[in-house]
Amino acid sequence: MKNNVLAVDYVNNKQMASAANVEKLIIDPDSVDIHDVTTAMAKAQMSLSLAQTVIDRLLTGWSEIQTTR
């Protein structure tokens, strides 16, 4: 259970960091490098996509186990 919480926290932290960089870019464009913003957004999207894939596969596996009973 602890690892699940850490994984969700990791994905959430990536999303929050991306949002913070975008906010900085909007408020003060000179304070942040556009490449850092783009990289943070890509990392956030990749971590979210990976989490969604893992969850989908777990649900599919669980569904298959339930139908074989």
Side-chain angles (χ1 to χ4, degrees), residues 2-69:
K2 185 178 180 183
N3 289 337
N4 296 340
V5 173
L6 291 176
V8 172
D9 283 342
Y10 177 79
V11 172
N12 186 47
N13 288 339
K14 290 294 181 186
Q15 295 292 322
M16 296 301 287
S18 175
N21 281 338
V22 170
E23 186 177 321
K24 282 182 194 176
L25 182 66
I26 292 170
I27 294 171
D28 186 16
D30 295 330
S31 70
V32 65
D33 186 16
I34 188 69
H35 299 292
D36 292 339
V37 175
T38 306
T39 303
M41 289 174 67
K43 286 180 180 180
Q45 179 61 38
M46 187 181 301
S47 66
L48 183 60
S49 178
L50 178 62
Q52 287 175 329
T53 301
V54 169
I55 290 168
D56 288 343
R57 292 212 179 166
L58 286 171
L59 291 175
T60 301
W62 181 254
S63 177
E64 289 177 8
I65 289 171
Q66 292 292 76
T67 57
T68 58
R69 284 187 175 183

